[in-house]
Amino acid sequence: MWESENESVDGRDYGNSVLTSSKHGVKPDGFELRGQSWYVDTDVPSDLQVQVGDVYFHLHKYPLLSRSGKVNRILYESRNPELNKIVLDDLPGGSDAFELAAKFCYGVAVDLTAANISGLRCAAEYLEMTEDLEEGNLIFKTEAFLSYVVLSSWRDSIAVLKSCEKLSPWAENLQIVRRCSESIAWKACANPKGIRWAYTGKPPKDSSPKWNDMDSSPSRNQQVPPDWWFEDVSLLRIDHFVRVVTAIKVKGMKFELIGAAIMHYAAKWLPGLISDAAGAGDEGISNGRTINIGSISSSWRGGLHMIVAGTKDELSTVQAKDQRMIIESLISIIPPQKDSVSCSFLLRLLRMANMLKVAPALVTELEKRVGMQFEQATLADLLIPSYGKSETMYDVDLVQRLLEHFLVQEQTESSSPSRQSFSDKHMYDGSHRIANPNAKMRVARLVDSYLTEVSRDRDLSLTKFQVLAEALPESARTCDDGLYRAIDSYLKAHPMLSEHERKRLCRLMDCQKLSIDACMHAAQNERLPLRVVVQVLFSEQLKISNTIANSSLKEAAECYYQPLISNRKSLLEGTPQSFQEGWTAAKKDINTLKFELNSVKTKYNELQNDMENLQKQFDRLVKQKQTSAWSSGWKKLSKFTKMTGLENQNTGPQLPNPAEQPRKTPRRWRNSIS
């Protein structure tokens, strides 16, 4: 913490942080508390009773009238000179602040500290203790102490801002909150060379840095951690924490540190949010466990006792409202840069936002933030319950929206990779953020794992499963083993699907993208349609052919380059032992794969032969059905007609065929003698 060497500020008008009054109408020896009443220790009897809450002050009119415009106006407006009792229930700071103000009016020394200065300043404003009534009145004295003592000290600024939690709206109107927030922000962003770091492992009150340029202790050269201010700032209430973080943003602090401070604050006030235990925070929601933040930080007084977990019925209205306010405030101050906070933190925040029904606009903004870094998510963080929004166990629609935001962001970055805002350039020191080409592949694996997990839910419809599986482009999946695992899990959990629905489900995967193990499993999977099994075997046959062709080309190349090596023994001697062992293991794997490929090829040939036999039997049955009695009768009749014609030709006179008769020669005329 920042601390002045001498915060007493000797020589000022209020000397040694003790307020005194130079004029005394009534000179008391002190104040005395009797039960719930304060009495002035003097011989002059009291003529005015002031009630503040449950506490009564038996005072005198003249000391108050000489310094308080509020008391003057109350007595004047009453038109009753005999009035001897007034009630100030709305006085900021309560009876403690009025006690100090009354002592100041009587000239009793008052010690000003960071714990009482804010209440006393608000009470002085309420009582209208201005310079018009008396020079050096209470407003002037408290303002001087705030400006010259409190705002120059880190520790006092934190303490005063903490004490302002019960003084709204007076502390806001008097700019106490704003000034303290800016003072804290300035010190958090300042160069830490002038800060003396005591020891990191000590409690916060002893480990805070101190402002001392003249210090020459060896600890001054110790490097100050950049997060030294996290713990002190996290003690503040959420609205004051937002004011401090906003002021720190204006000062230009790195967005990574701001995001880390926000996560530190959430870890302190919402411990179930950042829990790394088993279940990734699901324990706090599923088993109804209640955590009281008061047991974590004893310095919290009169604020938000956070209920991190529990069912919706167990959360009271006030507790749910407090939690909702913290979630909404944290969402609104997260820096816009991509990696300012982790994706896991955003998803856990989104889980609580859905449970507590945070404003839809903020939830949508949070979903877009998750989509910016969706490739960093884990399966445990994605398993967000639906909280009654749908019949399914998990909120599949939410994951669908997150995936859509991710794809939109990827498309935007790929279409305009050089576009970058000025603030991003400043934060990234002028370097452009390049989109990771493997982000879609990681998201595809994540989505396939999520589908495998949620497919066990019997209430998950086939349409939702299909829409989420088809949301990613085909290029995102180089291997469809994860998708096949999800499809098989869905078929196992939904045995009543029709044949058409099973075929529709299996169209989601590409059989050519399945590995050998997945193909072996699919070939023996009875839940898959027969057509899909045949496609798997056919694609595996193509892989085998390609593998054999590639291996043949590789062997030919090895034979071509073999004369370049003198002998195999010299090659082995020049090869490291680790490479030789790796090559031996690789050869074993290759032989195993070849054996599996041959087995698959044999099974494929057997199935092909069986299919040909079935086709022949089918063709034979079809031919038998086509030969009916009507057609056989006509065949017999035609056969009988032919036989009768042949018999007639054998028994009757054979007429010569005109074509076979010899051609007639022209008749010759003989010459007669006679």
Side-chain angles (χ1 to χ4, degrees):
M1 286 184 291
W2 299 65
E3 193 174 85
S4 300
E5 283 298 309
N6 185 6
E7 293 186 352
S8 60
V9 194
D10 297 335
R12 293 202 175 104
D13 293 339
Y14 39 85
N16 295 330
S17 302
V18 177
L19 293 184
T20 59
S21 180
S22 58
K23 298 182 180 180
H24 302 270
V26 178
K27 295 183 179 181
D29 295 330
F31 277 63
E32 181 182 358
L33 179 62
R34 302 173 189 172
Q36 293 292 327
S37 301
W38 283 94
Y39 294 89
V40 181
D41 190 7
T42 181
D43 296 334
V44 180
S46 173
D47 58 356
L48 180 63
Q49 182 181 359
V50 180
Q51 180 182 355
V52 181
D54 297 334
V55 182
Y56 295 89
F57 294 86
H58 299 273
L59 307 174
H60 302 84
K61 291 183 180 179
Y62 176 73
L64 298 181
L65 291 174
S66 61
R67 294 175 177 84
S68 174
K70 176 81 171 179
V71 176
N72 269 284
R73 191 171 65 257
I74 292 175
L75 294 178
Y76 175 77
E77 292 176 353
S78 66
R79 305 293 182 178
N80 183 11
E82 303 297 330
L83 180 66
N84 58 2
K85 182 179 180 180
I86 59 177
V87 179
L88 304 175
D89 287 334
D90 55 346
L91 186 140
S95 58
D96 294 336
F98 185 77
E99 175 196 347
L100 298 177
K103 288 181 179 180
F104 174 78
C105 293
Y106 279 91
V108 178
V110 176
D111 293 332
L112 294 181
T113 62
N116 62 23
I117 186 61
S118 58
L120 188 57
R121 172 67 183 89
C122 294
E125 189 71 22
Y126 176 86
L127 295 172
E128 301 174 11
M129 302 177 71
T130 62
E131 296 294 296
D132 296 337
L133 297 176
E134 182 179 355
E135 185 178 356
N137 210 343
L138 188 57
I139 291 178
F140 173 79
K141 302 270 184 162
T142 51
E143 271 294 329
F145 186 82
L146 278 171
S147 301
Y148 294 103
V149 178
V150 171
L151 298 181
S152 63
S153 169
W154 168 270
R155 179 174 58 190
D156 290 346
S157 298
I158 294 287
V160 170
L161 193 56
K162 184 76 177 157
S163 65
C164 290
E165 295 171 358
K166 299 180 181 180
L167 298 173
S168 298
W170 288 90
E172 288 282 352
N173 296 335
L174 296 176
Q175 305 296 321
I176 299 177
V177 174
R178 180 189 62 79
R179 288 183 288 173
C180 290
S181 300
E182 292 182 354
S183 174
I184 294 169
W186 180 84
K187 293 176 176 62
C189 298
N191 192 337
K193 290 183 178 180
I195 303 174
R196 182 178 63 200
W197 188 256
Y199 182 64
T200 309
K202 292 183 179 180
K205 63 180 181 179
D206 297 329
S207 63
S208 301
K210 298 180 179 180
W211 178 255
N212 185 6
D213 288 334
M214 301 304 294
D215 182 27
S216 59
S217 60
S219 61
R220 182 184 178 186
N221 297 325
Q222 183 180 357
Q223 186 177 3
V224 179
D227 60 347
W228 63 268
W229 52 276
F230 286 6
E231 183 63 27
D232 291 335
V233 173
S234 65
L235 297 175
L236 302 173
R237 199 174 64 185
I238 182 61
D239 53 341
H240 294 162
F241 176 77
V242 170
R243 295 288 294 271
V244 171
V245 170
T246 303
I248 288 176
K249 284 183 180 180
V250 175
K251 302 295 181 184
M253 180 171 283
K254 294 181 179 180
F255 67 91
E256 297 96 339
L257 280 177
I258 297 176
I262 293 173
M263 289 191 291
H264 185 85
Y265 186 90
K268 190 176 186 63
W269 297 110
L270 305 173
L273 192 70
I274 317 293
S275 176
D276 293 330
D282 289 345
E283 295 180 358
I285 295 177
S286 60
N287 58 16
R289 186 166 51 92
T290 302
I291 300 175
N292 193 327
I293 208 68
S295 61
I296 298 176
S297 176
S298 59
S299 61
W300 181 264
R301 293 293 182 270
L304 305 173
H305 293 277
M306 300 309 302
I307 303 299
V308 175
T311 61
K312 184 168 63 175
D313 295 334
E314 293 173 353
L315 293 175
S316 65
T317 304
V318 177
Q319 292 167 343
K321 183 179 178 181
D322 293 340
Q323 292 185 61
R324 192 181 304 114
M325 180 179 64
I326 287 185
I327 297 294
E328 292 177 349
S329 301
L330 292 180
I331 294 174
S332 62
I333 61 174
I334 294 177
Q337 288 78 11
K338 179 178 179 180
D339 296 322
S340 57
V341 293
S342 65
C343 185
S344 177
F345 171 77
L346 293 173
L347 284 169
R348 295 169 196 266
L349 206 62
L350 183 59
R351 178 197 299 264
M352 291 197 69
N354 288 333
M355 183 181 67
L356 297 173
K357 297 182 179 179
V358 172
L362 292 175
V363 173
T364 303
E365 182 65 24
L366 188 57
E367 291 176 358
K368 291 181 181 179
R369 290 300 310 273
V370 175
M372 290 174 59
Q373 45 197 113
F374 193 54
E375 70 275 8
Q376 304 172 6
T378 60
L379 177 60
D381 295 330
L382 282 183
L383 296 176
I384 300 175
S386 59
Y387 297 111
K389 294 181 179 179
S390 61
E391 297 179 355
T392 57
M393 182 184 303
Y394 297 106
D395 198 345
V396 182
D397 296 332
L398 172 62
V399 178
Q400 173 71 25
R401 293 194 299 271
L402 297 179
L403 185 57
E404 290 175 357
H405 291 312
F406 167 77
L407 294 175
V408 170
Q409 183 69 22
E410 285 291 317
Q411 184 177 3
T412 303
E413 291 180 357
S414 60
S415 61
S416 57
S418 62
R419 184 176 62 185
Q420 192 174 23
S421 63
F422 175 78
S423 60
D424 290 346
K425 291 181 180 180
H426 177 71
M427 291 298 181
Y428 283 92
D429 296 330
S431 61
H432 296 287
R433 181 169 60 86
I434 302 175
N436 192 347
N438 297 325
K440 287 185 180 179
M441 297 181 184
R442 288 199 297 268
V443 170
R445 291 193 294 267
L446 178 64
V447 171
D448 293 344
S449 301
Y450 180 79
L451 287 173
T452 304
E453 189 68 26
V454 301
S455 62
R456 301 184 180 96
D457 186 4
R458 295 183 180 271
D459 296 327
L460 179 64
S461 64
L462 178 60
T463 303
K464 284 189 176 182
F465 185 93
Q466 184 178 3
V467 169
L468 185 57
E470 292 178 341
L472 284 168
E474 295 182 0
S475 60
R477 291 187 178 93
T478 57
C479 180
D480 279 5
D481 285 5
L483 187 57
Y484 167 70
R485 190 181 300 110
I487 292 173
D488 183 56
S489 178
Y490 189 88
L491 291 173
K492 187 184 299 182
H494 301 77
M496 303 305 294
L497 290 177
S498 63
E499 185 71 15
H500 173 71
E501 290 175 338
R502 289 193 298 158
K503 290 181 180 179
R504 171 185 163 192
L505 182 64
C506 293
R507 290 194 196 102
L508 297 174
M509 64 178 178
D510 187 358
C511 298
Q512 297 181 1
K513 291 184 179 181
L514 295 178
S515 64
I516 297 176
D517 295 335
C519 289
M520 294 292 293
H521 186 277
Q524 304 173 4
N525 194 346
E526 298 178 354
R527 290 182 290 271
L528 296 178
L530 181 60
R531 182 181 181 86
V532 177
V533 176
V534 174
Q535 288 178 355
V536 170
L537 294 175
F538 180 73
S539 63
E540 192 60 30
Q541 178 67 23
L542 292 178
K543 291 180 184 178
I544 293 171
S545 302
N546 295 332
T547 303
I548 293 173
N550 293 333
S551 61
S552 301
L553 293 175
K554 185 176 181 180
E555 290 176 359
E558 289 177 355
C559 294
Y560 177 77
Y561 287 106
Q562 190 172 3
L564 298 177
I565 304 174
S566 59
N567 52 25
R568 186 172 182 272
K569 184 177 180 181
S570 61
L571 175 63
L572 293 175
E573 290 177 355
T575 305
Q577 184 66 23
S578 60
F579 288 178
Q580 296 180 19
E581 295 176 356
W583 174 248
T584 303
K587 287 184 67 176
K588 289 182 180 179
D589 295 338
I590 291 172
N591 293 330
T592 303
L593 292 175
K594 285 183 178 180
F595 177 75
E596 292 178 355
L597 290 174
N598 292 330
S599 301
V600 173
K601 184 177 181 180
T602 303
K603 290 183 179 180
Y604 176 75
N605 292 330
E606 292 176 358
L607 289 174
Q608 193 172 11
N609 293 330
D610 294 341
M611 198 167 182
E612 290 177 357
N613 294 331
L614 291 174
Q615 186 67 31
K616 289 179 181 179
Q617 294 178 6
F618 178 76
D619 294 340
R620 199 174 302 162
L621 291 174
V622 171
K623 289 180 180 180
Q624 290 178 1
K625 290 181 180 181
Q626 288 178 353
T627 57
S628 61
W630 181 261
S631 60
S632 61
W634 276 104
K635 289 181 180 179
K636 290 181 181 180
L637 182 60
S638 61
K639 185 177 181 182
F640 176 76
T641 305
K642 290 180 180 180
M643 292 177 64
T644 305
L646 291 174
E647 290 177 356
N648 293 333
Q649 290 177 3
N650 293 330
T651 56
Q654 297 181 357
L655 297 176
N657 192 355
E660 294 178 358
Q661 291 180 1
R663 183 180 300 176
K664 293 181 180 181
T665 57
R667 184 178 179 180
R668 295 180 180 179
W669 297 92
R670 291 184 301 174
N671 296 324
S672 176
I673 298 176
S674 59

